[in-house]
Structures are given as structure tokens and as C-alpha cells.
Amino acid sequence: MEIRTLVVMTFLMFALSMLVLTSVWAQYRTRYKGLLFWWLQAGFSMIGTGSIILRPWMTLNLSIMIANIFLQLGIIFLLFGFQQFFGRAKLSHVNWAGFVLTGILISVLTFQYPSVQGRQIVLSAAIIIAICQILWLLYRQDTVKPRKSTATVS
């Protein structure tokens, strides 16, 4: 399977996620906090993968910047959604500073010192840090002891 097919499938998955999350948000927005941030995560990730799909019709650097910034924004909003879901709703200045730093590094590695591998390392590190924070929320910060199946899945 070629990479373009995988990117299109990822785009469609994010579009389907937005549809499902819209339905879930309409039904449970007062009961569960954080659903709006999860919807934003799917939307930003869809825009990021969409810019990869549109790469033949956009300039390469513009496509790279849009994809990286929006994919990173998606991960940040996923983290904020989990924080709200678990009742730890605080927008961390450290996370926003990390987002800005990552954006600057991606810009430098796109325009000044073009390096695909460098951009991948920077974005992967930012994603790993955000995912570790989400895992911390799932394992340590939850005040309610999760069921065995929930702990296994997370």
C-alpha cells in the first residue's frame, strides 16, 4: 500500500471521528467535560493530514508547516480534553511554551536547515511528551479506581 493511500485513510478516519464526536457531544456535553477538545483534536488532525493530501497543489514548505502545526495542535487539544474529562482542567503554560518551541524548531528545520528527519524527531518528541501526560492522567491522576478492563485498555 502506498503512503498516499494511508494518508487518505487517516484523513477519512479523522473526518469520521469528527462526525461521531459531534453526535456524542450533542448527547453528553453536560455530563462529560472535554468532548469539545477531542472534537477539535480530530478537526485539527484532519486539517493537518488534508494539507499532506493537498501537497501536489501547495508549496512544499507551506504544506509542511500546516501539517506539523495542526497535528501538534491536535495532540495539545487531546491532552486538554483528557484534563477536562478527569476534572483537572488547567491550561498549562508549559504545554503552550512547548508548542511554540516545537513550532519554531519545525520552522528552522523547514526553512533554514531543511531536514525531514529533524522535523520528525521534534514532532515525535512533542507527541511523546503529550501522550506521557495523558497516560499520567489515566494511571495516576484519576480519583476513581478504574475497572480492570479500563486500566488494561489505557
Side-chain angles (χ1 to χ4, degrees):
M1 191 178 299
E2 73 175 47
I3 191 73
R4 191 157 194 67
T5 305
L6 293 174
V7 173
V8 169
M9 293 300 291
T10 302
F11 177 83
L12 293 175
M13 183 218 34
F14 285 128
L16 181 62
S17 295
M18 284 189 70
L19 288 174
V20 170
L21 284 168
T22 300
S23 173
V24 171
W25 180 82
Q27 294 175 358
Y28 300 110
R29 68 180 169 268
T30 58
R31 185 172 179 189
Y32 298 113
K33 304 290 184 199
L35 292 175
L36 178 63
F37 283 117
W38 292 344
W39 184 83
L40 287 171
Q41 181 271 334
F44 284 137
S45 298
M46 189 176 78
I47 292 169
T49 54
S51 73
I52 295 170
I53 293 170
L54 295 175
R55 186 170 280 175
W57 300 282
M58 298 172 73
T59 63
L60 181 63
N61 289 339
L62 179 64
S63 174
I64 290 168
M65 291 305 298
I66 290 173
N68 285 309
I69 297 298
F70 278 98
L71 290 173
Q72 187 185 0
L73 267 176
I75 293 296
I76 294 282
F77 279 108
L78 180 67
L79 172 62
F80 291 158
F82 272 105
Q83 286 176 339
Q84 282 205 345
F85 185 79
F86 287 115
R88 310 259 188 292
K90 61 178 180 178
L91 298 176
S92 173
H93 298 303
V94 174
N95 287 331
W96 285 113
F99 171 74
V100 170
L101 178 64
T102 303
I104 290 169
L105 288 173
I106 288 172
S107 296
V108 168
L109 293 170
T110 300
F111 298 110
Q112 192 170 8
Y113 304 106
S115 170
V116 173
Q117 184 179 15
R119 286 192 306 265
Q120 287 176 338
I121 291 170
V122 168
L123 189 60
S124 295
I127 290 171
I128 288 170
I129 290 169
I131 296 297
C132 286
Q133 291 179 34
I134 292 169
L135 290 174
W136 178 259
L137 285 170
L138 289 172
Y139 285 120
R140 300 286 182 198
Q141 299 296 323
D142 194 10
T143 56
V144 178
K145 180 129 175 99
R147 293 181 296 187
K148 212 177 226 187
S149 60
T150 305
T152 302
V153 169
S154 50

